[in-house]
Amino acid sequence: MRVLNFNGGPAALPVPVLEQVAAEMLDWQGTGMSIMENSHRAKEVVAMAEETQAALLELLGIEKGWKVLFCQGGASLQFAMIPMNFAPDGTVCDYIDTGLWSTKAYQEAQICGARPHLAASSKADDFTYIPREYSFSPKPSYVYLTSNNTVRGTRWPSFPDSAPAPLIADMSSEFLSRPVDLKNFVLVHAGAQKNVGPAGLTIVLIRPEWAETGKKGLPHMLDYRTYIEHDSMFNTPPVAAIYTAGLTLKWLRDDIGGLAKIQQLNQEKADCLYKAIDGSGGFYKGTARVDSRSPMNVTFRLKQTDLEKTFLDEAKKEGMVGLNGHRSVGGMRASIYNAVELSAVETLVGFMKHFQSKRG
Amino acid sequence: MRVLNFNGGPAALPVPVLEQVAAEMLDWQGTGMSIMENSHRAKEVVAMAEETQAALLELLGIEKGWKVLFCQGGASLQFAMIPMNFAPDGTVCDYIDTGLWSTKAYQEAQICGARPHLAASSKADDFTYIPREYSFSPKPSYVYLTSNNTVRGTRWPSFPDSAPAPLIADMSSEFLSRPVDLKNFVLVHAGAQKNVGPAGLTIVLIRPEWAETGKKGLPHMLDYRTYIEHDSMFNTPPVAAIYTAGLTLKWLRDDIGGLAKIQQLNQEKADCLYKAIDGSGGFYKGTARVDSRSPMNVTFRLKQTDLEKTFLDEAKKEGMVGLNGHRSVGGMRASIYNAVELSAVETLVGFMKHFQSKRG
């Protein structure tokens, strides 16, 4: 029996996608082989990869001037590749620190020999909000931010429009959850395992002319140009993960109706859950500042923190999993990504009310 | 309908493995979620990853002194990570060049600032054989080789036992196809997409004390110690690929009976095919020198090279796919990895005889 999956990532995928992957496991699209057994050079696979790239650009409304790359290694490898390519040899680059993952990105830039500058940070307030004032460097190479903070449950409502350099963002945990204006961006990366597909695929959107400004002479797999020039097939890409992602993109485009529609559905789910938290008379308490709340990761605590384990255990018994907060902060987190349905959130809210009524 | 899959990689996987992956797609091991939707921190997933590592070490008979790492980025990223870690800042390291992939490894070492030295090469003879004489450097950091050359169809019968440094090997296309004596090795890497599982997972075997000799201060994802210290879960690993690989390892251990047994089966398949080539009176011609022939990738040409396209087309009509040689060399290649059954090879041999009889 399927559970209600509130995992932070890897996370819930649309059931029709899983059903199609299963149905084709021994014979993918009439090739007589699993997608895992097909050559990445086969014309069917190349066509599938190209369709996946096109679907992504179409969803985002950026058909021109961008390239979709299929990378590996997760955000953590991007944390290194970005400064290696775009802030080598002591180049200054700006970071906005909104939690665990942007802190790691900043630290990795230091390791890579860049000179990262903290343009803003909400660390002093436990990363409960997205800063809106920045002390940028005069001429940074880029400005880096994490658009949704999975751990802290915050999201950028909108992005800086007067930064002194192009923006680069880790959008992993909100990727494709809303329309975004990418006009000030040159690179966006997103681990697939939140809103798109299985772990092991990192989607990178990049402007090719920006890639050209990168440091020359890097190892091939660490140079964005390699992926651009070979259309992400310099070596064998994670074919099955790309295929699964492609199915999810088509589901999002054709079944859901695109990013404006999914944003509306996501907001409905988030409103439902935040309303339950805010209306609990303090029994539940959201951890993020209201103006910075994420519609993807809803983080909250119980006033009686000693009841939190019981809450999680009872929720699990009721078929709701993944509600524990990130191991670095504890508490609760309901990740309500694209594939989590409103009915799942309503069930959770019902459980929360019941749990409170027994103890409130 | 399933085809007979002679792909060079991604390649054939065991049908029982695919069937199990499909059957569990909506509910993996009673978790109520796909393996793709399970958190990598869930106890079931952590246990699965540990079992996979244990099964691998058991199969190889190296339960002690080795660690199994789940990496990403394929052999191409290993080509960079190895010199970055073990031959930094102009350190001399030796390479034995037996074809496309070892050439790439050598070149990547140059890019990474190592001083790679070619201890031997069969390039002058079109990489048709494995060199048995070497001019090693006096004190290289390591000696690198590609144990099976997918493109040229050659394989090391045994490994150097008097090299002046520890051995490192890319064993991708023969990994787990035979028992190997790893006493002189410190690191072995293998892309999963040949004998183990889907693309997107790179298995690295490493001796932890060797890893400790690596350069300090590398980006986390490029430092083998990161994978060792975090048991390959520093960030989200390719969970579904690891699971599929684990199923293949169990199939190899329990259904097949281990490496000695699979070696016997593989040799039987290879003998069958090479015998057909050698017995064709010159109609078919193996491209690798007999003493260096690979039992995994059987490369051959037609005497009448203008018939090769017809051969491939007709084979495809008969349900045999992936018989084209690597795009860099042309001709034919039958990759007969662990999951390719003897009956498939026999069907191919029957087809070859029939094809010849019509034109010979």
Side-chain angles (χ1 to χ4, degrees):
Chain A
M1 208 193 65
R2 297 274 294 171
V3 294
L4 300 180
N5 183 349
F6 297 101
N7 275 339
L13 291 170
V15 169
V17 168
L18 298 173
E19 287 173 339
Q20 186 166 347
V21 171
E24 296 174 330
M25 190 54 73
L26 276 91
D27 184 1
W28 179 73
Q29 298 192 352
T31 59
M33 298 171 272
S34 160
I35 182 63
M36 296 191 280
E37 299 170 286
N38 262 273
S39 170
H40 57 299
R41 309 275 177 210
K43 66 178 191 307
E44 296 89 346
V45 174
V46 171
M48 176 281 290
E50 288 172 354
E51 278 168 31
T52 301
Q53 291 167 325
L56 185 52
L57 295 174
E58 184 193 342
L59 272 166
L60 288 159
I62 51 166
E63 283 89 344
K64 284 185 183 164
W66 288 86
K67 184 94 181 161
V68 177
L69 313 183
F70 300 126
C71 297
Q72 298 180 61
S76 297
L77 188 56
Q78 295 301 312
F79 297 163
M81 281 177 67
I82 290 163
M84 286 173 85
N85 279 264
F86 305 118
D89 312 320
T91 303
V92 173
C93 45
D94 282 9
Y95 281 72
I96 299 172
D97 189 15
T98 53
L100 180 68
W101 298 107
S102 47
T103 307
K104 285 191 180 215
Y106 172 85
Q107 289 167 344
E108 207 71 23
Q110 289 180 311
I111 290 172
C112 292
R115 269 198 296 157
H117 161 75
L118 268 190
S121 172
S122 49
K123 186 177 180 183
D125 290 298
D126 261 349
F127 297 117
T128 48
Y129 70 97
I130 301 295
R132 302 308 287 176
E133 292 185 8
Y134 319 104
S135 64
F136 292 119
S137 308
K139 279 189 162 192
S141 171
Y142 57 79
V143 174
Y144 184 98
L145 61 88
T146 310
S147 77
N148 186 82
N149 298 278
T150 331
V151 175
R152 300 288 181 166
T154 62
R155 190 189 71 173
W156 288 71
S158 62
F159 301 110
D161 55 10
S162 57
L167 302 181
I168 290 179
D170 175 357
M171 294 196 177
S172 295
S173 53
E174 70 138 344
F175 194 54
L176 303 178
S177 71
R178 59 170 167 168
V180 281
D181 182 353
L182 294 176
K183 71 174 185 295
N184 296 322
F185 288 87
V186 289
L187 191 159
V188 167
H189 63 92
Q193 71 274 15
K194 313 285 187 181
N195 263 334
V196 184
L201 170 64
T202 314
I203 292 176
V204 173
L205 301 171
I206 194 167
R207 293 188 193 265
E209 73 267 29
W210 169 255
E212 275 309 314
T213 69
K215 182 181 169 80
K216 302 274 195 296
L218 289 170
H220 279 92
M221 293 296 286
L222 303 174
D223 185 332
Y224 291 104
R225 278 174 293 237
T226 303
Y227 297 82
I228 293 172
E229 284 163 19
H230 297 269
D231 218 353
S232 300
M233 294 215 189
F234 173 70
N235 69 343
T236 317
V239 178
I242 293 170
Y243 176 60
T244 309
L247 290 180
T248 308
L249 296 178
K250 284 177 193 166
W251 166 85
L252 184 52
R253 184 187 64 191
D254 303 334
D255 296 9
I256 297 295
L259 297 190
K261 184 67 188 171
I262 198 76
Q263 178 180 36
Q264 189 186 320
L265 296 170
N266 284 331
Q267 199 58 53
E268 205 175 335
K269 292 183 297 186
D271 288 347
C272 175
L273 193 42
Y274 283 119
K275 193 177 151 200
I277 291 166
D278 295 341
S280 70
F283 187 83
Y284 302 107
K285 193 169 160 43
T287 64
R289 217 170 69 181
V290 173
D291 67 359
S292 302
R293 279 177 167 176
S294 167
M296 293 280 100
N297 310 100
V298 178
T299 50
F300 60 101
R301 306 292 308 234
L302 261 64
K303 188 177 177 183
Q304 299 163 259
T305 50
D306 59 329
L307 279 179
E308 288 178 344
K309 191 179 173 305
T310 312
F311 179 92
L312 293 169
D313 289 345
E314 291 192 10
K316 193 163 185 185
K317 278 186 199 139
E318 300 292 323
M320 284 167 277
V321 303
L323 286 167
N324 50 301
H326 188 268
R327 60 205 172 115
S328 64
V329 295
M332 266 80 67
R333 174 178 61 185
S335 295
I336 49 176
Y337 296 122
N338 287 356
V340 176
E341 294 182 2
L342 177 61
S343 60
V345 176
E346 288 170 342
T347 303
L348 172 58
V349 165
F351 167 77
M352 288 167 69
K353 288 184 176 161
H354 181 67
F355 185 86
Q356 181 176 359
S357 73
K358 288 195 292 179
R359 291 166 183 89
Chain B
M1 208 193 68
R2 297 273 296 170
V3 294
L4 301 181
N5 183 349
F6 297 101
N7 274 340
L13 290 170
V15 169
V17 168
L18 298 173
E19 286 173 339
Q20 186 166 347
V21 171
E24 296 174 329
M25 190 53 73
L26 275 90
D27 185 0
W28 178 72
Q29 299 192 352
T31 59
M33 298 171 272
S34 160
I35 182 64
M36 297 191 280
E37 299 169 286
N38 262 274
S39 169
H40 57 299
R41 309 275 177 212
K43 66 179 192 304
E44 296 89 347
V45 174
V46 171
M48 176 280 290
E50 288 171 354
E51 279 167 30
T52 302
Q53 292 167 325
L56 185 51
L57 295 174
E58 184 193 342
L59 271 166
L60 287 159
I62 50 167
E63 283 88 344
K64 285 187 183 162
W66 288 86
K67 185 93 180 161
V68 177
L69 312 183
F70 300 126
C71 296
Q72 297 180 61
S76 297
L77 188 55
Q78 295 301 312
F79 296 164
M81 283 177 67
I82 290 163
M84 287 172 84
N85 280 265
F86 304 118
D89 312 320
T91 303
V92 173
C93 44
D94 282 9
Y95 281 72
I96 300 173
D97 189 15
T98 53
L100 180 69
W101 299 106
S102 46
T103 306
K104 285 190 181 218
Y106 172 85
Q107 290 167 344
E108 209 69 23
Q110 289 181 311
I111 290 171
C112 292
R115 269 198 296 157
H117 161 75
L118 268 190
S121 171
S122 49
K123 187 177 179 182
D125 289 297
D126 261 350
F127 297 118
T128 48
Y129 70 97
I130 302 294
R132 301 308 287 177
E133 292 185 9
Y134 320 104
S135 63
F136 292 118
S137 308
K139 280 190 161 193
S141 171
Y142 57 80
V143 174
Y144 184 97
L145 59 90
T146 310
S147 77
N148 186 83
N149 298 280
T150 330
V151 176
R152 300 290 181 165
T154 61
R155 191 189 71 172
W156 288 70
S158 61
F159 301 110
D161 55 10
S162 56
L167 302 181
I168 290 180
D170 176 357
M171 293 196 178
S172 294
S173 53
E174 70 139 342
F175 194 54
L176 302 178
S177 71
R178 59 169 167 169
V180 280
D181 183 352
L182 294 176
K183 71 173 185 295
N184 296 322
F185 287 86
V186 288
L187 191 159
V188 167
H189 64 92
Q193 70 274 14
K194 314 286 188 183
N195 263 336
V196 183
L201 169 64
T202 314
I203 292 177
V204 174
L205 301 171
I206 194 167
R207 293 187 194 265
E209 74 267 29
W210 169 256
E212 276 308 316
T213 68
K215 182 180 170 79
K216 301 275 194 299
L218 290 170
H220 280 92
M221 293 297 286
L222 303 175
D223 186 331
Y224 290 104
R225 279 174 292 238
T226 302
Y227 297 81
I228 293 171
E229 283 162 21
H230 297 269
D231 218 354
S232 300
M233 293 216 189
F234 173 70
N235 70 342
T236 317
V239 178
I242 294 170
Y243 176 60
T244 309
L247 290 180
T248 308
L249 297 178
K250 285 177 192 165
W251 167 84
L252 184 52
R253 185 188 63 192
D254 303 335
D255 296 9
I256 297 295
L259 297 189
K261 183 68 187 173
I262 198 76
Q263 178 180 36
Q264 187 187 323
L265 295 170
N266 284 332
Q267 199 57 53
E268 205 175 335
K269 292 184 297 187
D271 288 347
C272 175
L273 193 42
Y274 283 120
K275 191 177 153 202
I277 291 166
D278 295 341
S280 70
F283 187 83
Y284 300 108
K285 191 169 162 44
T287 64
R289 215 169 70 181
V290 173
D291 67 0
S292 301
R293 279 176 166 175
S294 167
M296 291 280 102
N297 309 100
V298 177
T299 50
F300 59 100
R301 306 292 309 233
L302 262 65
K303 188 175 178 184
Q304 299 164 259
T305 51
D306 59 328
L307 279 179
E308 287 177 346
K309 190 179 174 307
T310 312
F311 178 92
L312 292 169
D313 290 345
E314 291 192 11
K316 193 165 185 185
K317 277 188 200 138
E318 300 292 324
M320 285 168 277
V321 304
L323 286 166
N324 50 301
H326 188 269
R327 60 205 173 113
S328 65
V329 294
M332 264 79 67
R333 173 178 63 185
S335 296
I336 49 177
Y337 296 123
N338 287 355
V340 177
E341 294 182 0
L342 177 60
S343 61
V345 176
E346 288 169 342
T347 303
L348 172 58
V349 165
F351 167 78
M352 288 168 69
K353 288 185 176 159
H354 182 67
F355 186 87
Q356 181 176 359
S357 73
K358 289 195 292 181
R359 293 169 182 87

